[in-house]
C-alpha cells in the first residue's frame, strides 16, 4: 500500500501534529485535490476549504519574505494578535541575553506555547518560555498560529494559544540568499546570508537529506544617534507647559556624597563639584530636579539602544523510507546567538568614613577611610553640628575611567529528534524521542572591576572619587583592574518521548468518525553555576547556584464526529501530571505533585459553500516555573523606578529618592493556574475575490500567580510590609531596605477580544491587486491587583501595574500589485495611542516636582514598501524601505524594560527609515 493517508485519518493527524482542529474536513466527501490544498499553503489568505473548527493564522514563505523581517522575532512580534512579549533590546541593562518571546493577545509569554515541527523545544530559564532566537529562520516553510487555547491537546502553557514553526522537508536542490540593510541615519546596519541544500527524493530514492545554514550580524545603535533617545535629562512640553523628566543618576564622575548621621534621620546628599564650581555640573551631568545641590549623570546618553549581535543557525533533517508505509526521520537544529549589550559605566559606592566597632574595646567610633577626600570635598559643606554627628560618608562614584559596562551573552540551543511516522494497519501514527537544550554563558567584557585590583586603586593616595580626572598613577592601574570573564552559566535541558496516532472508526451521516490518541513524558532540568564571585569582582553579588529538575507526563484522546455533511464536532480531553521539584544541590524535594484534567469541545458548521460558522469551549492550565516554586532568597538587581524611603527616619533608608535593591524568593506552595475559554467565529467568502472572517475569543484565568509590584509596595509600605527585606552593600557594608519579590496563587485575569481579517483581490489588464487587512480588537484586559482576588484593574490602552500596555486596536494592511515578474507591496502597521506610565516630572514655570504625571502617547503608524523582481525562475531580488515616512517613536516616560529612555522600544522601532536589499538564487 502506498504511503498515503486516508482523508479522515489525515485530517485528525494534521489536527494532532500541527495545530488541533486547524484543517479538519467533513469526512470523505472531499477529493484528493482539496487535500493537496491543505498540504501546500500557497497564500496567507484564509480559504474556507482549509478552515477548521479553531481559528488558525498562517504565514507562508512568500508572506514571510514580503514582511521584510530579518529574524523570527521581527516576524512574529509584528502580528496584530501579538502583545506582551519580550524584545531583544531589553538586554540593555538586564541579564536576558537578548531573549525574545511570543505572547498572544497580551495574556503573557508564559501562556503561549511555541513548537518546532509540532514538538516542544527547550525553554530559556526554569519555565517554559521559548527564546525565538532558537528558531532557524532560513529553514522555516511556514508558521501556523492557533489563537485559541490548546491545553486539552498539548498540556501546560497553551492557554493563550500555540505557535508552530513548520520547517522545510523533501527539498531538492540549493537556495542561496543574502540580505543587507540599514537605517538612513547612523548606526544599526545589519546583514545575513543563508544556504539551503536538499538531495534525494523520498518517493523515488527512498531518502531525503536537507541542510540549512544562516549567519546574521546586527551592528549597534547608540542613544546619541537618535534625538528622541539621547538623554536622561529630558525636556518636553505639554499643554503649554515646559517640563523636565529627570532620569539621571547621582552616582556620577566626579562623585556625589551622601552623609548619614547618628542622631538625625535625614541624610545630606550633595555634589562637591557643584559647590566648588558656582552651581555648574561637569560634562554629561545636570543639576537634579529633586535636589538642587546634586548633579545627576546622564546615563541614558551612553546606552546602546540596539545591542550588537551575531547569530548562526543550522537545521538538518534526514528522512528514510523504510517501506511504503513507514518513514524514519532525524532532525537537528542548532543556534548560537552572541549579543553584547553596553550601558553606562559602573556605579560604585565608596566608603569615605564608616562607624565601626572597635574589636578590642567594643566601642563604636568613626573611621575615616579617605581623610583627604573628607577634608577637601565633604567637611567644608557640613556644619560643626553635622561634623560631630557623622555616622557614615559614601562617595557615589561612577567608574567612567573603566568605560561602559559591556555584557556579552552567548546563547546556544541544541535540539534533536529521532522518530518514525507512517501507517500501521488502520492507524496513522508518529513517535519521537527529543533531546533539547538551551544554554547561556554570560560574560563581562569591560566596565567591571577586579576585586583586589580595585581595592589597590582605592588604597592609592592619588585616587580621588571627587576629581574630574584621575592622576596618571591611577590611570596606569585601570587596565589591569578590568575584569573579563564569565559571571554565570545556565542551561535548561529537556528530554522527552511522545507518540500519537489516529484512525477512522465508524460511519456517520457526514462521513467517517475519527479517533486520535497520544501521550508524552518529559523531564526538565535547570542548572546555573556562578562563574565569578564577590572575591573576583568588586561590589558584586555572586549569582545563585541551581540544579533542579522535574518530570511531567500526560495523555490525550480526541474524537472527530461529522454529524452531517455540513456539521462536525470534535471532543477532546487530556490528563497531565507535574511532579514536585528535585533540588539536587540541597538534596530535597520542593513543592507538591500537581495534576490537571482539561477538555475541549469544538464545532464547525458550513450551511452553504460560502459561509462557515465555528466555535469552541475548553479548559486549560499552566504549571509554575521551577524558580517560582524553589528559588531561595537571592539578589534581583534594583527597582525599575526611584522611590522615597518606605519608612522615613529608619537607619535602613538611603539618603534620597533613589532606586532600591531588589531580592526575590520562590514559594513552595504555588499551584497550577487554571483557565476557561471559548471562541465563536465565522467566515464568509461570496467569491474567490473576497473573504471576511472574525473570531471572538475569551479567556478567564483563576488561581493566577500574582506578585506585589514595587509601586504598590512603596506606595503603602505598612500594608505590604512583607514585601521588604534588607540588603547589605558588599563595598561599604551599609545595610538598606530592599524590595522583595514573592509570588502567590491569588490572582484572576480576564481577556476578551476579536481577531478579524479581510482579503480581496482584483485582476486588471496589467496585473493582479491583492489586499489583506487584519487586526485584533481587544474588549477586556482585566486582572486583579497584586495580592488581591477581587480588586480588578486593567492595562487597556493604559500603562498598568504590570509595566505594559494592552492595545485595544492593532492592525496590519498588506497590499500587493503583481504585474508578472515585478511585484510591489505596501504594508501599513497601526497601533493606537495610550496613557503612559506615571512619572515624576519637574514643572519649570512652577519650579516644583509633579508626581503621578502621565503622558497621552499618540497612535503609531508606519508604512513599509517592498519591490520584488524575478529575473527568471532561479533568481529573485527584493528591495524595500521600512518606515517609509520616517516616523519617530512617540515620547514615553516609562522606566522599565531596558535602560533606553525617551521611548518604549517594545512599541516603536528606533531605527527610523531604513533600507534593505535581498538576493535569492535557486539551482
Amino acid at each position: 500500500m502506498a504511503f498515503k493517508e486516508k482523508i479522515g485519518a489525515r485530517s485528525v493527524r494534521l489536527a494532532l501534529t500541527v495545530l488541533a482542529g486547524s484543517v479538519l474536513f467533513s469526512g470523505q466527501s472531499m477529493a484528493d485535490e482539496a487535500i493537496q490544498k491543505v498540504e501546500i499553503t500557497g497564500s496567507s489568505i484564509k480559504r474556507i476549504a482549509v478552515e477548521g473548527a479553531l481559528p488558525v493564522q498562517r504565514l507562508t514563505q512568500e508572506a514571510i519574505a514580503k514582511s521584510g523581517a530579518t529574524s523570527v522575532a521581527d516576524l512574529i512580534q509584528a502580528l496584530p494578535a501579538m502583545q506582551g512579549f519580550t524584545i531583544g533590546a531589553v538586554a540593555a541593562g538586564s541579564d536576558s541575553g537578548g531573549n525574545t518571546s511570543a505572547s498572544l493577545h497580551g495574556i503573557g509569554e508564559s501562556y503561549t506555547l511555541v513548537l518546532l515541527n509540532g514538538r516542544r523545544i527547550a525553554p530559556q530559564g526554569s519555565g517554559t518560555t521559548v527564546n525565538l532566537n532558537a528558531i532557524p529562520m532560513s529553514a522555516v516553510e511556514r508558521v501556523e498560529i492557533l489563537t485559541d487555547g490548546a491545553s486539552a491537546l498539548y498540556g501546560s502553557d497553551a492557554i493563550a494559544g500555540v505557535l508552530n514553526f513548520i520547517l522545510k522537508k523533501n527539498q531538492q536542490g540549493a537556495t542561496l540568499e543574502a540580505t543587507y540593510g540599514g537605517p538612513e541615519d547612523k548606526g544599526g546596519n545589519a546583514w545575513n546570508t543563508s544556504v539551503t541544500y536538499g538531495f534525494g527524493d523520498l518517493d523515488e530514492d527512498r531518502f531525503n537529506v536537507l541542510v540549512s545554514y544562516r549567519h546574521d550580524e546586527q551592528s549597534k545603535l547608540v542613544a546619541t544617534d537618535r534625538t528622541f533617545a539621547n538623554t536622561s535629562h529630558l525636556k518636553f512640553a505639554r499643554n503649554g507647559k515646559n517640563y523636565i523628566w529627570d532620569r539621571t543618576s547621582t552616582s556620577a564622575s566626579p562623585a556625589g556624597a551622601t552623609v548619614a548621621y547618628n542622631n538625625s534621620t535625614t541624610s545630606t546628599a550633595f555634589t562637591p563639584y557643584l559647590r566648588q564650581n558656582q552651581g555648574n555640573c561637569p560634562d554629561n551631568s545636570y543639576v537634579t530636579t529633586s535636589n538642587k545641590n546634586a548633579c545627576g549623570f546622564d546615563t541614558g546618553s551612553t546606552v546602546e539602544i540596539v545591542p550588537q549581535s551575531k547569530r548562526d543557525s543550522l537545521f538538518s533533517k534526514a528522512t528514510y523510507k523504510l517501506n511504503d508505509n513507514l518513514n524514519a526521520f532525524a532532525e537537528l537544529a542548532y543556534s548560537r546567538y552572541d549579543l553584547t549589550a553596553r550601558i553606562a559605566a559602573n556605579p560604585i559606592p565608596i566608603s569615605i568614613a564608616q562607624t565601626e566597632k572597635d574589636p578590642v574595646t567594643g566601642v563604636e567610633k568613626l573611621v575615616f577611610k579617605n581623610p583627604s577626600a573628607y577634608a577637601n570635598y565633604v567637611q567644608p559643606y557640613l556644619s560643626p553640628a553635622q561634623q560631630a554627628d557623622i555616622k557614615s560618608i559614601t562617595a557615589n562614584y561612577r567608574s567612567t575611567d573603566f568605560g561602559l559596562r559591556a555584557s556579552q551573552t552567548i546563547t546556544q540551543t541544541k535540539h534533536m529528534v529521532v522518530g518514525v511516522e507512517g501507517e500501521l494497519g488502520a492507524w496513522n501514527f508518529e513517535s519521537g524521542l527529543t533531546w533539547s537544550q538551551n544554554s547561556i554563558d554570560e560574560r563581562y567584557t569591560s566596565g567591571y572591576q577586579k576585586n583586589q585590583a580595585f581595592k589597590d586603586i582605592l588604597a592609592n593616595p592619588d585616587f580621588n572619587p571627587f576629581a574630574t580626572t584621575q592622576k596618571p598613577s591611577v590611570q596606569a592601574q585601570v587596565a589591569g583592574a578590568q575584569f573579563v570573564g564569565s559571571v554565570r552559566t545556565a542551561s535548561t535541558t529537556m528530554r522527552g518521548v511522545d507518540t500519537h496516532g489516529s484512525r477512522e472508526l465508524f460511519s456517520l451521516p457526514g462521513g467517517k468518525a475519527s479517533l486520535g490518541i497520544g501521550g508524552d513524558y518529559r523531564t526538565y532540568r535547570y542548572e546555573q553555576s556562578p562563574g565569578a564571585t564577590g572575591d573576583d569582582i568588586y561590589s558584586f553579588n555572586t549569582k545563585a547556584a541551581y540544579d533542579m529538575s522535574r518530570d511531567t507526563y500526560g495523555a490525550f484522546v480526541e474524537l472527530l464526529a461529522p454529524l452531517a455533511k455540513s456539521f462536525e464536532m470534535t471532543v477532546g480531553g487530556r490528563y497531565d501530571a507535574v511532579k514536585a521539584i528535585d533540588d539536587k544541590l540541597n538534596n530535597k524535594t520542593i513543592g507538591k505533585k500537581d495534576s490537571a484534567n482539561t477538555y475541549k469541545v469544538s464545532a464547525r458548521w458550513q450551511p452553504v459553500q460560502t459561509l462557515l460558522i465555528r466555535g469552541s469551549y475548553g479548559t486549560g492550565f499552566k504549571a509554575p516555573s521551577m524558580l517560582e516554586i524553589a528559588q531561595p532568597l537571592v539578589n534581583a538587581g534594583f527597582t525599575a523606578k526611584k522611590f522615597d524611603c518606605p519608612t522615613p527616619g529608619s537607619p535602613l533608608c538611603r539618603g534620597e529618592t533613589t532606586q532600591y535593591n531588589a531580592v526575590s524568593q520562590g514559594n513552595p506552595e504555588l499551584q497550577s493556574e487554571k483557565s476557561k475559554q471559548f471562541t465563536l467565529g465565522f467566515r464568509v467568502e461570496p467569491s474567490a475575490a473576497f473573504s471576511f472572517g472574525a473570531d471572538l475569543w475569551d479567556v478567564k484565568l483563576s488561581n493566577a500567580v500574582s506578585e506585589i509590584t514595587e509601586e504598590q509596595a512603596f506606595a503603602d509600605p505598612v500594608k505590604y510590609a512583607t514585601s521588604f527585606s534588607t540588603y547589605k552593600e558588599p563595598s561599604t557594608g551599609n545595610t538598606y531596605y530592599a524590595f522583595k519579590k514573592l509570588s502567590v496563587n491569588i490572582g484572576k485575569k480576564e481577556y476578551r477580544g476579536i481577531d478579524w481579517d479581510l482579503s480581496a483581490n482584483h485582476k486588471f489588464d496589467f496585473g493582479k491587486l491583492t489586499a489583506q487587512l487584519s487586526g485584533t480588537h481587544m474588549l477586556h484586559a482585566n486582572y486583579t491587583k497584586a495580592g488581591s482576588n477581587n480588586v480588578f484593574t486593567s492595562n487597556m490602552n493604559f500603562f498598568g501595574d504590570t509595566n505594559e500596555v494592552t492595545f485595544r486596536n492593532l492592525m496590519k494592511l498588506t497590499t500587493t500589485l503583481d504585474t508578472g515578474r515585478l511585484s510591489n507591496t505596501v504594508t501599513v502597521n497601526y497601533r493606537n495611542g495610550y496613557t503612559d506610565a506615571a512619572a515624576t516630572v519637574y514643572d519649570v514655570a512652577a519650579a516644583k516636582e509633579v508626581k503621578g504625571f502621565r503622558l497621552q502617547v499618540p497612535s503609531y503608524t508606519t508604512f513599509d514598501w517592498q519591490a520584488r523582481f524575478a529575473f527568471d525562475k532561479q533568481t529573485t531580488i527584493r528591495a524595500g524601505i521600512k518606515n517609509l515616512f520616517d516616523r519617530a517613536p512617540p515620547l514615553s516616560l516609562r522606566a522599565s524594560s531596558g535602560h533606553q529612555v525617551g521611548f518604549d522600544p517594545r512599541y516603536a522601532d528606533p531605527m527610523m527609515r531604513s533600507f534593505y536589499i535581498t538576493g535569492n538564487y535557486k539551482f
Side-chain angles (χ1 to χ4, degrees), residues 250-259 268-282 291-296 352 372-382 393-397 464-468:
T250 51
S251 291
S253 178
T258 300
V259 183
T268 301
F270 63 93
T271 299
Y273 182 96
L274 184 75
R275 294 289 189 91
Q276 295 173 346
N277 289 273
Q278 296 76 49
N280 295 314
C281 290
N291 183 355
K292 298 303 180 184
N293 294 315
C295 293
I352 302 300
S372 175
Y374 169 70
N376 294 317
Y377 296 95
V378 180
Q379 186 179 22
Y381 309 107
L382 300 179
I393 303 172
T394 302
N396 303 309
Y397 170 70
N464 181 5
F466 300 110
T468 54

Side-chain angles (χ1 to χ4, degrees), residues 24 30 524 572 888 890:
L24 299 180
M30 289 197 170
Y524 291 90

Side-chain angles (χ1 to χ4, degrees), residues 233-425:
H233 193 79
L234 199 155
K235 299 177 181 179
F236 67 99
R238 280 296 185 276
N239 301 321
K241 291 186 176 182
N242 294 318
Y243 298 96
I244 298 174
W245 185 50
D246 188 2
R247 284 281 295 167
T248 60
S249 170
T250 51
S251 291
S253 178
T258 300
V259 183
Y261 303 102
N262 291 305
N263 300 306
S264 174
T265 59
T266 303
S267 300
T268 301
F270 63 93
T271 299
Y273 182 96
L274 184 75
R275 294 289 189 91
Q276 295 173 346
N277 289 273
Q278 296 76 49
N280 295 314
C281 290
D283 292 342
N284 212 31
S285 294
Y286 301 85
V287 177
T288 65
T289 58
S290 60
N291 183 355
K292 298 303 180 184
N293 294 315
C295 293
F297 181 75
D298 190 357
T299 55
S301 66
T302 66
V303 173
E304 294 178 359
I305 57 179
V306 175
Q308 73 178 59
S309 64
K310 296 180 181 180
R311 181 192 294 108
D312 291 280
S313 59
L314 173 71
F315 174 73
S316 180
K317 180 170 184 176
T319 307
Y320 181 73
K321 198 168 188 177
L322 298 172
N323 56 45
D324 287 344
N325 299 321
L326 292 177
N327 289 341
F329 64 89
E331 297 175 359
L332 169 65
Y334 172 79
S335 69
R336 185 181 190 273
Y337 186 58
D338 185 343
L339 178 141
T340 299
R342 296 179 178 87
I343 57 175
N346 201 15
I348 302 176
I350 296 175
S351 179
I352 302 300
Q354 182 72 40
T355 298
E356 298 177 354
K357 184 177 290 187
D358 188 293
V360 178
T361 64
V363 177
E364 290 189 339
K365 63 178 181 178
L366 185 65
V367 178
F368 286 94
K369 308 294 181 70
N370 192 331
S372 175
Y374 169 70
N376 294 317
Y377 296 95
V378 180
Q379 186 179 22
Y381 309 107
L382 300 179
S383 67
Q386 289 174 322
Q387 294 176 35
D389 194 36
I390 295 173
K391 179 182 179 181
S392 66
I393 303 172
T394 302
N396 303 309
Y397 170 70
R398 191 169 293 272
S399 57
T400 53
D401 291 312
F402 285 78
L404 299 179
R405 282 173 286 174
S407 176
Q408 179 190 27
T409 305
I410 299 173
T411 305
Q412 296 186 78
T413 300
K414 309 174 186 109
H415 180 77
M416 292 180 283
V417 180
V418 295
V420 292
E421 60 181 358
E423 291 184 351
L424 285 177

Side-chain angles (χ1 to χ4, degrees), residues 13 17 80 92 98 111 183 233 236-237 293 306 346 380 395 419 537 576 636 645 705 751 769 785 878 909 917:
R13 178 179 177 274
T17 61
Y111 303 92
H233 193 79
F236 67 99
N293 294 315
V306 175
N346 201 15
I537 305 174
D576 281 277
C645 181
V705 174
Y751 292 86
L769 179 66
K785 282 186 169 289
R878 296 177 190 266
D909 186 359
I917 185 169

